[in-house]
Amino acid sequence: MPLVKNPILPGFNPDPSVLRVGQDYYIATSTFEWYPGIQIHHSTDLANWTLLTRPLNRKSQLDMRGDPDSCGVWAPCLSHDGDKFWLVYTDVKRKDGSFKDAHNYIVWADKIDGEWSDPVYVNSSGFDPSLFHDPDSGKKYFVNMLWDHRRRPLLFAGIAVQEWDAKTKKLVGERMNVYQGTELALAEAPHVYKRNGWYYLLIAEGGTGYEHACTLARSKDIWGPYETHPEKHVLTSKDHPRAALQRAGHGDIVETQDGRTYLVHLTGRPTTQLRRCVLGRETAIQECYWKDDWLYVKNGPVPSLWVDLLGERDESKYWEEKRYTFKDGLHKDFQWLRTPETERIFNVKDGKLTLIGREAIGSWFEQALVARRQEHFSYDAETVIDFSPTDERQFAGLTAYYCRYNFFYLTVTAHSDGQRELLIMSSEASWPIGNLNTPYVPYVQIPNEGKVKLALTIRGNQLQFYYAVLGSGGEELKKIGPVFDASIVSDECGGHQQHGSFTGAFVGVAASDLNGLAAEAKFDYLLYKPVKNQQDAYVRDNE
């Protein structure tokens, strides 16, 4: 069987939780401020994955209006107890500064792609929760990291375990801090397993940047004491800056039907000498083995770029051109930001996507922006827009977007006298102010009526916008604006403190009406065309 190249879920797919039920494998990943919440992918061979569902899809389950960038849904844990599927997750309302307002919930479903329950609140003592179903006692245990704003002595204070009663839907008994991690610190992302009479506790340490790691400990009792793995970190790239897969950590373990063990984990693939992860934190997988009742990563602890899985990956799907029309609704590849009330920001009818202009791009409350993940280092994108703005406070167009503090946006707008024009807005690593870069790129006047084709190309770290006024006879795309630094749209430039941005680059369409008149912009389609370049073809595996 040919080896499969990591990552298995390219683009923004972080904090993987993996589960096998029979012959089916599932991975749940964080979605942060993007709606609907939590992505669940499905596979039968660990190599080929398909987006199956996003279970947090209604207002009674999730409303993230007001959640800052990189807050929202963190670190889901997907499990099955032989009867139901369970998901636990955190909805983070504040993350910067000394405090974390992080609320933990549980939902469940009979079918993974069916309707999930409304959430049951559990606690707010920390984040990255998981739910462990003890196969021997039948009890369920809620596990999460603890946050201590006093830093007495640790900000990431340790891993808490407490029994959770599935009948009353409440925590019961004493909460115990069972493990504080190693000197690498920042213990988070706990998962508990039971094997050969041992309880295993897998955690992440080192933060989600270039010091990230998976640390393993074990105990004969779920309450501890836990002894740390002889090598401490079963997976990390922190001491190997030239390894192809960086930022390796936050993992979860799954066993195949034939007894093989794999570890899924987040990773990043930095580009340029500035080490910027434009594709965000992605999901990779490693083959493992057991020795003396300890788990080891094959050829580890440094993650391998190429792995032996249960099947051969069909690369053609990764490289296929996607032309999204809107005849059958909104394609599952698309998400929007924060709000469950989609009728206020978009609708799909008559084969068009109509965006309803609301607040400015980058708003944490209600902005009309519909986009898909960037999954390739180079790609082309284009759309056709029909929009008749009346002044400069109405604008809509095509955007390469990360968050409020870094995006590039080619807009159709108007001057104060009503003359329609094209204008590029950019916010380039503008944290904490969030200003647009000025002076603005020179505008281009266009006729006040008619559709406009907008396009962009990204080749590695170079972004170029294009336009064509349709129906004018000159429909060939023309360049507009300079070549921008596309690596800005990355974790490292997302704003906040270092390693404080957790999502990834998107490309999509947006509309704003700062007059409050809800002006509508109609889009015929969105094209996303992957382009192979040196970065995509580059193969190395420095162990």
Side-chain angles (χ1 to χ4, degrees), residues 3-80:
L3 299 179
V4 174
K5 186 181 180 182
N6 273 311
I8 53 172
L9 297 181
F12 162 44
N13 285 287
D15 311 328
S17 171
V18 66
L19 170 67
R20 179 179 66 83
V21 179
Q23 297 180 348
D24 297 297
Y25 297 88
Y26 306 98
I27 290 179
T29 52
S30 300
T31 43
F32 295 89
E33 67 264 34
W34 290 91
Y35 209 98
I38 303 177
Q39 295 209 130
I40 298 179
H41 284 80
H42 170 256
S43 176
T44 57
D45 59 10
L46 298 176
N48 297 282
W49 294 87
T50 302
L51 179 61
L52 182 64
T53 185
R54 296 189 185 101
L56 305 182
N57 54 27
R58 60 184 186 270
K59 187 176 181 180
S60 63
Q61 293 174 315
L62 184 66
D63 188 340
M64 298 182 289
R65 284 174 287 191
D67 288 9
D69 294 324
S70 289
C71 290
V73 178
W74 285 17
C77 175
L78 178 65
S79 62
H80 191 270

Side-chain angles (χ1 to χ4, degrees), residues 276-515:
R276 290 175 174 170
C277 295
V278 176
L279 302 188
R281 299 176 304 153
E282 308 171 282
T283 289
I285 190 168
Q286 304 299 324
E287 188 174 5
C288 302
Y289 63 94
W290 292 90
K291 180 181 177 182
D292 299 328
D293 282 325
W294 283 113
L295 181 82
Y296 292 84
V297 169
K298 186 177 179 180
N299 300 319
V302 182
S304 296
L305 184 62
W306 296 89
V307 288
D308 181 16
L309 300 178
L310 308 183
E312 179 181 357
R313 183 155 61 202
D314 180 2
E315 292 287 349
S316 65
K317 292 184 178 180
Y318 176 65
W319 290 108
E320 71 181 2
E321 176 181 310
K322 296 286 186 69
R323 185 181 180 88
Y324 302 100
T325 61
F326 304 107
K327 295 179 180 179
D328 300 315
L330 193 66
H331 193 279
K332 65 182 179 180
D333 286 350
F334 289 103
Q335 287 184 274
W336 55 95
L337 287 162
R338 296 180 176 85
T339 180
E341 296 183 350
T342 57
E343 69 278 4
R344 286 187 52 81
I345 61 170
F346 72 84
N347 61 69
V348 180
K349 60 183 178 181
D350 301 325
K352 312 288 186 185
L353 171 64
T354 299
L355 296 188
I356 304 164
R358 296 296 179 186
E359 296 174 340
I361 187 169
S363 168
W364 291 345
F365 291 87
E366 192 173 53
Q367 63 164 311
L369 188 155
V370 174
R372 59 148 291 162
R373 285 158 175 73
Q374 178 182 342
E375 296 178 354
H376 305 78
F377 292 104
S378 297
Y379 70 92
D380 298 336
E382 71 173 41
T383 190
V384 168
I385 181 175
D386 188 358
F387 184 52
S388 300
T390 59
D391 65 16
E392 67 273 23
R393 280 168 291 279
Q394 296 176 337
F395 45 89
L398 179 67
T399 181
Y401 185 87
Y402 187 99
C403 70
R404 169 184 291 191
Y405 304 110
N406 53 342
F407 60 82
F408 300 99
Y409 189 17
L410 174 57
T411 67
V412 176
T413 184
H415 189 47
S416 55
D417 61 5
Q419 173 61 53
R420 200 165 66 147
E421 64 185 33
L422 298 174
L423 182 70
I424 296 175
M425 301 181 189
S426 66
S427 180
E428 304 174 38
S430 65
W431 181 83
I433 304 301
N435 284 338
L436 294 174
N437 286 65
T438 53
Y440 302 119
V441 173
Y443 60 89
V444 174
Q445 289 187 346
I446 57 175
N448 277 2
E449 300 294 332
K451 295 182 178 181
V452 183
K453 180 181 287 186
L454 306 177
L456 66 83
T457 63
I458 286 183
R459 298 294 183 269
N461 66 341
Q462 296 186 331
L463 183 154
Q464 177 69 63
F465 282 115
Y466 297 83
Y467 78 98
V469 178
L470 303 185
S472 64
E475 298 185 2
E476 182 177 345
L477 286 169
K478 302 176 183 178
K479 290 182 180 180
I480 179 171
V483 174
F484 291 98
D485 182 0
S487 73
I488 292 289
V489 189
S490 63
D491 289 351
E492 289 73 17
C493 300
H496 314 285
Q497 58 214 15
Q498 185 180 20
H499 306 311
S501 297
F502 304 139
T503 57
F506 281 70
V507 61
V509 293
S512 295
D513 185 348
L514 306 187
N515 292 317

